[in-house]
Amino acid sequence: MRDRRFLGLLGLNTLVWFAGYQVFAIVPLHLRGLGASLAGSGRFAAFLTLGTASGALLMGRLGDRVGQARLLRTAGALLVAILASYAALGRPWLFMLLAPLHGLLWAGLKTSTMALATHLLPAEDRASGLSLFGLSGALGVALGPLAGLAALPFLGFRVQILATAAAFLVVAAAPGLPRRLPSEQGSAEGPWPGRAILVPALLVFAWGWGQGLLPPFSAQEARFLRLAWASALLTCFALGMLASRALFSALGRGLKPARLLPWLMAGGLAALGTLALAPGALGRHMAGGALFGASLGLSHTLLFAWAVDLGGPRRGEAVCLMYLAYEAGMGLSAALVGQAMDAAARAWGEGTGFRAGWALGGLLILLALPLALVQARRAGGR
């Protein structure tokens, strides 16, 4: 039976992703309403992930020193203030100014919850337990955009963003978590884990490049296609994550994770190819989102569990370095591919721009696939 504190952490993690992904879905739409271009709305995501990536360098060491639970509470409280500020802004460039700080605090939430999970799980149950932890986040990702995009036309941006800010008040309270876990004492000692986790970091960077397009551009393409279900891609993405992580949580003990990674990356490529090339609209969003979510969700779990094992006693920093790689991929993709999408949209129409973006999103996954194949062979089924 798992630690009750871990079960409480699952609830908090669901809330973090539920509220966080509401913001990622509704702010780019709001920016378009304020006059931002397609590339401009992507720059918000790029600046945010720039803050998250740089925050990953800071938050791992900080969390290991002051306690991950304290970091979680502090980041949650400060994020309430950031989201409340969004409600008062009327120009896109002001959102860009706050986005890096938003990203920094988002890094604190993500890394602290992940590090707390690794502290609360025994080593022999870590991969399976992290799958369950990932399930809780995927549930939030599934419900957050669905709720946010459904409520936005009725509530308006200002009320919606303030309601989302209120959710982070619960995160700031972090009920059920102590100030510092006994297993965290001394966790900041040991060699820097960067070199040890280089291979999983490169692989997760490639995944971040592909995933970085979904939050800022999926709802925008849905609006362009006049889909009644605007959050279809993100919701099915999350449902795919839920399915793959649930399956691994139930059956994952005894499976050999390294051998799964090339197949999962091939699944991610197929998903982005579906979004880029398949005919139709709603079915394309549902199929591409579900397949990408299933492939990324399990890859993310396996790569982070692998990095935690390689990171030694400084596992908090290992988690943050993985998030640095992941968020850097997301931010670069949102900025660079977003710019390419905007250029393609001006030249050939907005529909072509979106499809070109999905195709470019698979580029680094394709380039990283040989590395995953080599690692699977070398690991001998690790």
Side-chain angles (χ1 to χ4, degrees):
M1 185 174 178
R2 291 192 168 101
D3 192 320
R4 287 184 179 179
R5 294 170 300 177
F6 178 72
L7 298 179
L9 182 64
L10 296 182
L12 281 176
N13 193 50
T14 300
L15 184 60
V16 164
W17 289 92
F18 174 86
Y21 260 70
Q22 280 196 41
V23 178
F24 301 152
I26 66 176
V27 169
L29 286 176
H30 181 62
L31 292 176
R32 294 298 297 272
L34 293 176
S37 66
L38 186 62
S41 65
R43 279 192 289 273
F44 171 79
F47 283 129
L48 191 149
T49 50
L50 173 67
T52 308
S54 59
L57 293 172
L58 170 67
M59 295 299 178
R61 192 67 171 175
L62 180 63
D64 282 339
R65 288 191 175 278
V66 306
Q68 302 293 348
R70 181 180 294 174
L71 176 60
L72 173 68
R73 291 186 173 99
T74 302
L78 292 175
L79 198 53
V80 172
I82 293 292
L83 298 185
S85 299
Y86 285 163
L89 302 181
R91 296 181 180 274
W93 66 269
L94 294 171
F95 284 80
M96 309 302 172
L97 288 180
L98 284 179
L101 181 56
H102 181 170
L104 180 73
L105 298 172
W106 181 243
L109 291 177
K110 293 205 301 183
T111 57
S112 61
T113 51
M114 175 71 83
L116 283 166
T118 66
H119 284 293
L120 292 170
L121 290 166
E124 65 275 9
D125 191 33
R126 189 164 288 145
S128 178
L130 286 180
S131 268
L132 187 60
F133 177 78
L135 268 175
S136 68
L139 180 62
V141 173
L143 297 177
L146 183 64
L149 291 171
L152 184 62
F154 302 99
L155 299 180
F157 177 78
R158 185 168 297 172
V159 174
Q160 182 66 35
I161 201 73
L162 289 174
T164 306
F168 282 105
L169 289 173
V170 180
V171 177
L177 288 180
R179 179 171 296 181
R180 191 177 180 97
L181 298 176
S183 60
E184 290 185 277
Q185 303 299 332
S187 62
E189 302 302 324
W192 184 66
R195 182 178 297 181
I197 67 166
L198 178 61
V199 172
L202 288 173
L203 294 177
V204 87
F205 176 84
W207 275 113
W209 176 272
Q211 203 269 334
L213 302 177
L214 270 64
F217 298 119
S218 59
Q220 293 189 60
E221 187 183 32
R223 174 178 281 184
F224 169 77
L225 295 170
R226 301 180 187 275
L227 297 184
W229 186 10
S231 68
L233 200 159
L234 283 177
T235 300
C236 290
F237 164 76
L239 293 175
M241 292 176 68
L242 279 167
S244 66
R245 286 171 167 173
L247 185 64
F248 188 79
S249 183
L251 305 175
R253 300 185 192 205
L255 289 179
K256 298 179 176 179
R259 289 185 178 173
L260 296 176
L261 289 173
W263 294 99
L264 294 169
M265 297 186 79
L269 274 176
L272 290 166
T274 298
L275 290 170
L277 301 173
L282 181 59
R284 175 168 60 90
H285 270 211
M286 292 173 66
L291 180 56
F292 193 79
S295 303
L296 169 62
L298 190 49
S299 290
H300 191 279
T301 296
L302 297 178
L303 289 169
F304 270 76
W306 181 15
V308 166
D309 288 340
L310 294 174
R314 288 168 68 170
R315 60 172 69 102
E317 278 186 88
V319 166
C320 287
L321 288 168
M322 287 291 285
Y323 272 123
L324 167 62
Y326 186 55
E327 298 289 343
M330 290 182 67
L332 286 171
S333 176
L336 299 178
V337 179
Q339 196 68 41
M341 291 168 71
D342 200 44
R346 288 196 302 269
W348 300 296
E350 197 159 336
T352 301
F354 285 118
R355 286 180 178 267
W358 302 129
L360 290 172
L363 181 62
L364 290 194
I365 298 178
L366 178 63
L367 294 176
L369 185 55
L371 178 60
L373 288 165
V374 169
Q375 185 57 38
R377 293 193 187 103
R378 287 181 178 174
R382 173 171 39 179

